[in-house]
Amino acid sequence: MAADPILALSNVTKRFGGLTVSDQVSFAVPRGARMALIGPNGAGKTTLFNLMSGVYPLDGGEIVLDGARIDTLPSRKRIAMGLSRSFQNIRLMPHLSVVENVMLGQHAQASGIGDLLTPISWMRGGRWRRLAVERLEAAGIAVHPDADVASLPYGVRKKIEVVRALMSKPRLLMLDEPAAGLNPRETAELSAFLKDVAATGVTLLVVEHDMSFVHDLCEHTVVLNFGKLIYEGPTRAVQDDEAVREAYLGSRRVETAGGSHAA
Amino acid sequence: MLLEVEGLDVRYGRTHAVRGVSLSVGQDEVVTVLGANGAGKTSLLRALQGMVPAAGGQIRFDGVDITRMSPPQRLQRHLALVPEGRQIMISLSVHENLLMGAYCRHDGGVARDVDGIYDRFPNLAARRHMPASVLSGGEQQMLAISRALLAKPRLMMLDEPSLGLSPLLVERLFGLLGSLRDEGLAILLVEQNTQMALEVASRGLVMELGSVVLQGPADDLRHNDRLAAAYLGHAAPAATPAAPLSSPPATPPSSNGRA
Amino acid sequence: MSDAVSLGKPKPALSKGVLIALACIAAAGLAMLLGGRVITQQIISGLMLGSIYMTVAVAFTLTIGVLNFLNFTIPTLFMLTGMVAWGLLARGYLAGFGGWAWLLALLAGIAVSILASLVVERFTFRYLKTRHGDATEHAIPLVSSLGFLLIFEHLVLIALGSEAQRFPVPFKADLYLGGLVIGLPQLASLALALGIVAGLTYVLKQTRMGRALRTIAESPDTASLLGVEVARIVPIVFILTGLLSGVAAALFTVNYGDVSPFMGEHIGTKAIAAMVLGGLGSVWGAVAGGLIVGLAETLSIHFLGGDSVQMVVWGMLLLVIILRPQGLFGASSIGKGKM
Amino acid sequence: MSGYATGIVAILCINLIFAYAIFVTAAAGQLNLGGAGFQAIGAYTAAWLSSNAGQPVVVTIPLAMVTTALIGFLISFPVLRTRGVYMVLATFAFGQFVSGFLLRSPTFGGAIGMVVSDYVGIGLLIAAAIITTALVFFLMASRLGLAIRSIHDDEPVSTIMGVNVRAVQVTTFTIGGALAGLSGALYAHHFSFVEAQYFNSLLSIYVLLFVLIGGTQTAWGPLVGSLFFTLLPEVLRVGGSWRYVVFGVAIVAMMVLRPQGIVTRELVSRLSPRNWFGSRPAPAARMADGG
């Protein structure tokens, strides 16, 4: 698609038991793009995210981030390469405070034993905390930095997770259903916030079911169904694509006659 | 009406997953609940079976208020749920899984009914003494449905039964649901395969963000553009609901501040 | 609790019991041929001791297998049975029952053990609600059970003193077989212990309640969906735990004639070793583990001296954990992954 | 200080260091029920070096720490293959094995125990306890401490955030080993006598209770836990065995009412000087529509 993609997947394949959850998936994310990855429930979107962030090893194919092959790297090294992600169900650390959760996102930025052993909230490390607080404020999260994350509203936690993912200075930010569970106002705010993020040069790849959010945020879309790529192109044309419509709404054929058709 | 739900609310902490949903299912009727992921369909079913408490509203089954009953109590009143992801017990054999389906029954007909299941599903019969973990996805779904059938349900609720099945198996699954319907079983079906679900159902409801936004006869819903919009967004020219469709039921003002 | 994939009808539980009994006899016979009388006597004593460990190990296995709960009150339930039985006799409460007093005392001890186990259930499991699913949360009921360990042990110390006591066993019937001494109570306890375990396996495999327990072990949520009143079934696990610990203590008391407020600690830790050796969550693994630990104990006393037992048993266990974490007979590990 | 008070303070210092040893691993989500084994190795190493090799305290204590740190490092590899209840059992087996080994070993006096030549006074114990406490506080405030706490909460996400989970876990076992060795060496030198029976499973259980009841979220937990556990029995002294019953009831009640331990991160931040002025962490209800 693009001459200089930030991320390129070629023939990415993954099987669980007999089920092929990612079947020869190839696509590229153009540098600086805001791209959506959509598909019906169970299409393999989260699996693809897990493959890209290294939760599972690939059964075939390769993943190239900014010219470097990453699918053989351990999961923890990919964040330092510029790939950062959020999670479908909020995965904030329940016993860390808001600012500590955000500071965890800086972990990959720390270098050497000296950084590891510097207190992160006082002395020389105070800058880590100041930076995290600044980012929280810049994202419009008006909660006390030492508040307990468990007590915060869903929308706020969702946003904190995005800020945490941003703290690693990613080149590619992958968000797994960032708008799920948000009310329309929060969704609009999130969309505006992500556009600002993208304007700073961060490429976005977003899994999302809320299509109005996708239409608002993403100019490009890829669609998965049964682990296969079925559409790649502009978002505005996605609902006119016959294959996509069928993937979402099902085929129109059905046998309604009685009798047992069971497996 | 067999199942009557009025103004049902479900909350997880501060998340309002189901907002004032009202619906009903008749004695021998198939009703389907449609909507994109995260619309609150699974939460609705879990609340109907009692796996999560209702934060508000009332559920009546066969004329009895079951809103505060535990899942086993609801099962004993013959309301059964086939959960999302099938939830087969992989350390139990196929046969034992079926017997667990009849756990709440105390009549003597279990053995006969299990044999009936084996007649219906020869694949399960052939694997009856194997651990359920060796079954394929389609067979597991058959086992999950059979397990629910052995509770002798009057209403069976299914949560995305076609998830993860190949198109051929999906077709067989809906064939089975069609024949169960023809045998007189009432079904409340949550599905993502919209067209198939609307073929087998007589009525449908569409949920968005926890509320029912559209409902009507299946035939009318099938050709409604608003339905496609619920899945694929509103960038397409917005269509006003077709004439025969009712607007969503008035929601209690306390539960829904959303436009 | 699950067996390997088998295509035919599952073999009845009893056959495994018969198999183990035959293996025991074969081991004794082989030892007789190769090592002579003294070793054989040690092996027989080891198997008898092993039957006690085995019964307690099965109690541990049950709570871990069904509830994923390492119940540290089991050793105290064991002690409670012995001490309560002794206390009833020593205070003369059962004087009116003549020759049967000792039996009644032991039965009362078992009843107390079951009641105590139900008290534990009330305050450990009833309150456990998984909040965040983090790494140390499974320790909450474990810590509570350690609290109960202190409570029960010291209540007994207050009520009955800290001395070891003789429990009067009214009979002494030894069987002489080719120069070997086999205590009849010992033989009876091996048979009884194997019988109880076989019965338990039958219950787990073949009955409605057993299926419900195994379903809870896999997913309490789905169990509830299938109509299992989980809150009513969980106490059954604790009743069985109390029963098994109590029966083991009664057998121990009759065989060795000693009770003390600290009798549970030795037996309890050895039973834990037996359970891990056999494999967590596997009832027959616990049986085999119990017998192996019993044998290892008597043989290491014989060959290496009394103070070597702890090192041998736990060294063996440490090796098993390092080389084969699922235990000798266990299936894959218990507990669910998160991602 | 009276002899009685000195004895209590000495035990408190040793318990505190010991509790921090177990805490460091527990903070990363790894429960060690073999603490007594590590402490015993430290105590016996110091005792042997002092009595049999005639080494001074400046040699015995560091060497005891190095030995237990090394053992902690080595044992962490097999132990970290296990998780949950299995890890509790594996470490328990280790502790039992060590005390069994010492009981059996003639080099270390077997069941009779060993007399330790050099005596260490209460002053050094107090100093060691203070230094250990400061170091653990520092560790928990560092980026490594943040990584430790995040592993406790969610291992897979920590990995994706770039934390080398395995390396951190091995590090905590090594640090824990060193601290347990320190507490053992101080025990040996202060009480001038070691015996295998002292380092039994009950000791491992007690020290884990200090940590879990105190709370594993902040470095305050073991401090509060060991103060509570060491002083409560003394306060209840009059009651004889009853005090242990009360103690047990307190444990059970704690787990029912406050299973996360006495001290939580949230409590510490509420009491923190940073929040004495200006806004405290606001109750979430006010921000229901925030963000």
Side-chain angles (χ1 to χ4, degrees), chain A residues 5-10 12 27 29 47-85 170-174 205, chain D residues 160:
Chain A
I6 183 123
L7 179 81
L9 279 71
S10 50
V12 168
F27 67 89
V29 184
T47 304
L48 208 55
F49 263 31
N50 283 338
L51 291 171
M52 287 189 248
S53 57
V55 177
Y56 315 125
L58 269 62
D59 288 332
E62 57 178 60
I63 301 171
V64 173
L65 179 75
D66 215 3
R69 203 170 152 186
I70 59 163
D71 56 275
T72 49
L73 288 177
S75 176
R76 69 188 152 82
K77 294 220 167 127
R78 300 188 194 192
I79 190 167
M81 303 277 295
L83 183 149
S84 190
R85 71 170 285 194
R171 286 178 284 180
L172 175 67
L173 178 63
M174 310 199 307
L205 181 61
Chain D
I160 285 172

Side-chain angles (χ1 to χ4, degrees), chain A residues 79-80 105-111 115 128 167-170, chain D residues 143:
Chain A
I79 190 167
Q106 301 163 329
H107 192 89
Q109 299 288 302
S111 59
D115 267 3
W128 291 113
M167 293 311 285
S168 66
K169 298 185 182 161
Chain D
R143 183 158 291 289

Side-chain angles (χ1 to χ4, degrees), chain C:
Chain C
M1 231 157 276
S2 67
D3 285 316
V5 177
S6 63
L7 295 179
K9 200 172 162 53
K11 289 189 188 104
L14 213 61
S15 70
K16 269 188 199 161
V18 172
L19 214 67
I20 286 182
L22 285 177
C24 293
I25 294 167
L30 200 67
M32 190 76 186
L33 281 174
L34 298 176
R37 194 164 294 162
V38 183
I39 306 293
T40 316
Q41 185 69 58
Q42 296 302 327
I43 288 183
I44 290 171
S45 314
L47 291 176
M48 300 306 164
L49 185 62
S51 70
I52 309 279
Y53 294 154
M54 171 182 108
T55 314
V56 180
V58 169
F60 272 112
T61 295
L62 204 60
T63 51
I64 285 200
V66 177
L67 305 172
N68 199 18
F69 169 33
L70 179 55
N71 185 351
F72 264 105
T73 52
I74 287 171
T76 358
L77 298 178
F78 183 91
M79 177 275 291
L80 213 50
T81 307
M83 286 304 283
V84 165
W86 171 80
L88 288 174
L89 282 185
R91 300 272 164 92
Y93 294 126
L94 299 171
F97 295 96
W100 293 104
W102 65 275
L103 186 62
L104 279 175
L106 288 174
L107 289 177
I110 294 173
V112 169
S113 162
I114 293 173
L115 281 177
S117 188
L118 283 173
V119 171
V120 173
E121 190 270 343
R122 186 75 185 78
F123 288 98
T124 52
F125 242 77
R126 244 3 121 75
Y127 288 99
L128 180 70
K129 293 270 183 296
T130 306
R131 274 157 229 256
H132 303 303
D134 68 46
T136 47
E137 232 167 33
H138 66 90
I140 294 169
L142 185 145
V143 171
S144 299
S145 77
L146 293 173
F148 274 110
L149 186 151
L150 288 176
I151 295 172
F152 289 148
E153 187 164 309
H154 288 279
L155 282 179
V156 166
L157 284 174
I158 290 163
L160 299 167
S162 62
E163 302 295 309
Q165 309 287 354
R166 284 300 297 171
F167 185 87
V169 185
F171 53 84
K172 176 166 173 60
D174 288 341
L175 196 66
Y176 291 90
L177 198 79
L180 297 170
V181 188
I182 302 175
L184 269 185
Q186 292 184 324
L187 202 60
S189 61
L190 180 62
L192 188 58
L194 277 174
I196 284 179
V197 174
L200 182 66
T201 318
Y202 174 82
V203 167
L204 283 175
K205 277 275 172 199
Q206 307 289 335
T207 67
R208 183 167 172 273
M209 191 183 77
R211 282 191 295 275
L213 285 173
R214 285 157 61 211
T215 305
I216 293 173
E218 200 171 319
S219 161
D221 239 26
T222 313
S224 160
L225 195 68
L226 294 172
V228 181
E229 301 267 9
V230 177
R232 273 194 223 158
I233 295 277
V234 168
I236 291 175
V237 175
F238 284 82
I239 291 174
L240 287 173
T241 303
L243 179 70
L244 286 163
S245 314
V247 167
L251 295 176
F252 179 89
T253 307
V254 170
N255 272 320
Y256 299 93
D258 283 326
V259 294
S260 91
F262 308 106
M263 67 196 267
E265 283 170 28
H266 262 82
I267 303 286
T269 50
K270 294 280 168 50
I272 289 176
M275 167 186 69
V276 180
L277 204 61
L280 287 194
S282 155
V283 172
W284 287 106
V287 171
L291 296 178
I292 292 172
V293 170
L295 277 179
E297 178 163 342
T298 49
L299 290 180
S300 59
I301 288 174
H302 181 72
F303 286 112
L304 304 169
D307 47 10
S308 68
V309 175
Q310 202 182 348
M311 191 179 81
V312 169
V313 168
W314 292 96
M316 189 164 73
L317 184 62
L318 205 56
L319 272 180
V320 167
I321 287 176
I322 291 168
L323 300 176
R324 198 179 149 77
Q326 71 273 40
L328 294 178
F329 307 98
S332 55
S333 62
I334 299 231
K336 290 146 206 134
K338 280 165 79 183
M339 197 163 193

Side-chain angles (χ1 to χ4, degrees), chain D residues 230-275:
Chain D
T230 313
L231 299 183
L232 183 68
E234 301 307 327
V235 174
L236 298 171
R237 188 150 208 87
V238 281
S241 250
W242 279 109
R243 66 182 161 152
Y244 290 102
V245 176
V246 173
F247 204 33
V249 170
I251 292 168
V252 174
M254 271 300 295
M255 286 297 110
V256 171
L257 301 173
R258 201 172 166 84
Q260 67 273 46
I262 298 172
V263 189
T264 60
R265 186 210 62 78
E266 203 264 334
L267 180 71
V268 171
S269 101
R270 193 180 300 166
L271 300 176
S272 146
R274 206 199 296 278
N275 300 315

Side-chain angles (χ1 to χ4, degrees), chain A residues 3-124:
Chain A
D4 175 30
I6 183 123
L7 179 81
L9 279 71
S10 50
N11 298 320
V12 168
T13 299
K14 180 71 191 172
R15 288 175 216 96
F16 288 126
L19 196 64
T20 305
V21 285
S22 179
D23 192 355
Q24 307 261 335
V25 173
S26 302
F27 67 89
V29 184
R31 190 177 300 276
R34 303 196 298 255
M35 186 183 252
L37 171 61
I38 66 169
N41 221 354
K45 307 177 296 286
T46 297
T47 304
L48 208 55
F49 263 31
N50 283 338
L51 291 171
M52 287 189 248
S53 57
V55 177
Y56 315 125
L58 269 62
D59 288 332
E62 57 178 60
I63 301 171
V64 173
L65 179 75
D66 215 3
R69 203 170 152 186
I70 59 163
D71 56 275
T72 49
L73 288 177
S75 176
R76 69 188 152 82
K77 294 220 167 127
R78 300 188 194 192
I79 190 167
M81 303 277 295
L83 183 149
S84 190
R85 71 170 285 194
S86 72
F87 299 87
Q88 190 176 344
N89 307 314
I90 296 176
R91 297 283 286 261
L92 291 174
M93 307 301 178
H95 298 128
L96 303 191
S97 70
V98 170
V99 72
E100 283 169 340
N101 265 290
V102 172
M103 283 193 282
L104 185 62
Q106 301 163 329
H107 192 89
Q109 299 288 302
S111 59
I113 205 88
D115 267 3
L116 273 183
L117 292 180
T118 307
I120 41 176
S121 296
W122 31 288
M123 291 172 40
R124 192 164 64 83

Side-chain angles (χ1 to χ4, degrees), chain D residues 14 36 49 52 56 74 83 85-86 96 114 132 139 142 154 167 198 201 211 224 231 239-240 255 259 267 276 278 281:
Chain D
I14 289 163
L49 286 170
N52 294 37
L74 293 175
R83 42 187 60 239
V85 173
Y86 239 115
Q96 294 288 96
M114 271 177 101
T132 303
L139 174 73
S142 73
D154 195 330
Y198 173 77
S201 53
V211 172
V224 172
L231 299 183
M255 286 297 110
L267 180 71
W276 285 355

